[in-house]
Amino acid sequence: MISKLIPDAYYHSIEEIPYTTLYDHQIRLILTDLDNTLISYRKTEPTEELFRWKNQLIQMGFEIILVSNSRKKRVEHFAKLLDIPFVKFAKKPLKFGLKKAIKSASFKVSKEEILVLGDQLMTDVFAAKRMNLKVFLIQAIDSKTEVWTTRMNRKLEMHFLKKIRKKYPKLYEERLKEYAEGPHDRTEM
Ligand SMILES: [Mg+2]
């Protein structure tokens, strides 16, 4: 099971991801988490940077779908403002939400064409890996705003990170060390 908690890569922010390379490698659909991956929970509107990010990716030929575990109106609100489709109450790490999003894509998409983005091992990475999808772990924007379920997941994360370090030292070093041992979110930097 713990191999399913190892992301394909770790990035400090969504802006750092090499989208051109991904496009060259046939990635076409991006399924992204909302809170603390794209935007701080403190924000009620998308930032200028987020609009720019989205526009740039759409222009490059990617399709983006929000997949959030949140049940709040907030998901819909952001999706509307950004003009992208969404799945809320996705129940990650269950496959349900990601599957629903894939089905709703505007084209028939194969697994090799999908990239999942998220800031949590226990939900985003685990859900993606259970479906054998490529997933990048993103440093949380502002972990102080995390809800209680997320705070519980963070404790679980620490437990599994130690196991991964023992069993897969090389992968841990490459993809998780910085995440595990660095500042937990960007506001702490
Ligand atoms: Mg999140």
Side-chain angles (χ1 to χ4, degrees), residues 33-37 92 118-120 123-124 146 150 154:
D33 177 50
L34 174 67
D35 289 318
N36 273 331
T37 299
K92 294 172 279 184
D119 67 303
Q120 285 193 66
T123 54
D124 306 310
E146 284 174 349
T150 305
R154 293 289 183 203

Side-chain angles (χ1 to χ4, degrees), residues 95-145:
K95 299 174 185 173
F96 164 83
L98 292 176
K99 276 190 177 163
K100 194 171 165 189
I102 293 165
K103 254 190 221 152
S104 76
S106 70
F107 61 103
K108 180 133 182 31
V109 56
S110 69
K111 283 195 172 177
E112 295 71 34
E113 296 174 303
I114 300 170
L115 171 67
V116 178
L117 300 178
D119 67 303
Q120 285 193 66
L121 282 192
M122 304 312 298
T123 54
D124 306 310
V125 174
F126 194 27
K129 282 300 160 198
R130 289 180 69 204
M131 289 182 66
N132 296 315
L133 300 176
K134 186 190 263 300
V135 55
F136 290 172
L137 179 64
I138 311 295
Q139 185 175 33
I141 294 171
D142 180 5
S143 65
K144 279 169 226 68
T145 58

